[in-house]
Amino acid sequence: MDCQKIIKTLMHKDFIKVTNEGKCFEDGAAVYAKEIKDNVFLLFVILKGIDIENIQAFIAHFDCFNSIGLKEPEQIMFYLSIKDKDDLHYFEQYLKASNN
């Protein structure tokens, strides 16, 4: 999976890179967030390990945008670990279904 291509896509879709300074996400993880409803955010967390690249997708409620990367979310409503292209396809289908 090409994480650089995914990061470029996120940037074009108005995702903002969040500073990861808390204990919510692993050290060195790149966190991208976009508000989809009042204080509900779609997050992509990109972990680069020695052997694999792993992307985690969250829909989570935070008290404000600035608490992302610093505090635990108040509620996690959706979580998906994306390790291959099929996982991305399933996530895309979930987002389409949730818009209906």
Side-chain angles (χ1 to χ4, degrees), residues 11 14 17 23 25-27 33 35-36 46 57 62 77 80 88 91 96 98 100:
M11 299 304 274
D14 298 324
K17 187 170 184 178
K23 298 190 186 306
F25 307 113
E26 291 184 31
D27 287 339
E35 189 170 26
I36 56 176
I46 301 173
F62 288 87
M77 295 168 246
L80 177 67
L88 281 174
F91 186 62
K96 285 180 184 177
S98 66
N100 295 329

Side-chain angles (χ1 to χ4, degrees), residues 7 10-11 14-34 41-48 54-58 60 62 65-71 73:
I7 291 170
L10 292 174
M11 299 304 274
D14 298 324
F15 280 80
I16 298 169
K17 187 170 184 178
V18 176
T19 303
N20 180 23
E21 296 177 344
K23 298 190 186 306
C24 183
F25 307 113
E26 291 184 31
D27 287 339
V31 180
Y32 295 86
K34 179 178 183 178
F41 298 89
L42 175 56
L43 304 172
F44 285 93
V45 180
I46 301 173
L47 309 167
K48 293 189 177 187
N54 183 9
I55 300 173
Q56 299 171 345
F58 293 87
F62 288 87
F65 186 86
N66 292 332
S67 67
I68 300 170
L70 293 174
K71 299 179 183 177

